[in-house]
């Protein structure tokens, strides 16, 4: 298994735009989860781009040494739980209208925000997504 630096560089060579660190991608996932909980206000293209931070973590977990995995897994699992709570599982039907879905093991692509607001909300509603508005409780 590889170190964080080695994994970041390996994934960059595989097509990621930079050699990210685990902390950078966990922070990006945390920021996206918080935005989804509040009501994601950006558009569908930004949302799908933002989801890729979780893709990076998924790929990195297969390569990282066990110590790094054990260190970060509790925080990622807690963020995953928050994301699940703030989203609706529609097996990816709404997002699939705008972005080719990856394999089924990337479960976060098969969910959409529960609060549908802004450009993203309009796009997802047009694709059949059902959710609440930003003021619903």
């Amino acid at each position: 298994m590889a170190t964080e630096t080695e994994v970041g560089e390996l994934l960059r060579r595989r097509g990621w735009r930079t050699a990210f660190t685990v902390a950078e991608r966990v922070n990006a996932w945390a920021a996206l989860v918080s935005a989804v909980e509040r009501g994601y206000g950006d558009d569908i293209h930004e949302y799908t781009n933002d989801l890729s931070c979780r893709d990076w973590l998924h790929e990195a977990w297969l390569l990282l040494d066990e110590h790094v995995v054990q260190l970060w897994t509790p925080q990622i699992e807690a963020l995953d739980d928050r994301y699940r709570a703030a989203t609706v599982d529609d097996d990816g039907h709404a997002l699939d209208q705008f972005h080719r879905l990856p394999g089924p093991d990337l479960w976060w692509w098969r969910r959409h925000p529960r609060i549908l607001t802004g450009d993203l909300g309009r796009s997802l509603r047009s694709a059949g997504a059902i959710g609440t508005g930003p003021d619903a409780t």
Side-chain angles (χ1 to χ4, degrees):
M1 290 295 176
T3 68
E4 241 185 283
T5 303
E6 292 167 339
V7 168
E9 184 54 35
L10 175 63
L11 292 178
R12 186 197 60 77
R13 287 195 309 270
R14 287 184 182 176
W16 290 92
R17 65 180 163 82
T18 192
F20 292 111
T21 65
V22 173
E24 287 171 331
R25 297 294 79 194
V26 169
N27 289 340
W29 183 228
L32 176 59
V33 169
S34 292
V36 168
E37 288 171 334
R38 289 188 310 271
Y40 189 92
D42 224 325
D43 67 25
I44 188 77
H45 304 292
E46 282 301 313
Y47 181 71
T48 56
N49 183 60
D50 288 348
L51 274 180
S52 71
C53 68
R54 187 61 180 81
D55 298 356
W56 189 95
L57 290 167
H58 179 76
E59 286 185 43
W61 248 233
L62 304 173
L63 305 168
L64 284 164
D65 68 58
E66 189 62 29
H67 173 72
V68 175
V69 169
Q70 287 178 355
L71 181 69
W72 286 99
T73 293
Q75 188 174 350
I76 293 168
E77 287 178 349
L79 290 167
D80 287 353
D81 289 345
R82 285 175 51 199
Y83 183 78
R84 282 185 190 94
T87 56
V88 174
D89 183 352
D90 75 342
D91 201 29
H93 292 298
L95 275 180
D96 193 35
Q97 305 297 308
F98 304 96
H99 191 281
R100 186 172 160 264
L101 294 182
D105 53 334
L106 279 66
W107 57 266
W108 48 96
W109 284 95
R110 285 164 172 63
R111 305 183 70 83
H112 66 75
R114 188 172 303 281
I115 298 172
L116 297 177
T117 188
D119 287 344
L120 177 66
R122 282 188 289 282
S123 295
L124 292 174
R125 283 184 200 281
S126 77
I130 298 171
T132 62
D135 300 322
T137 54

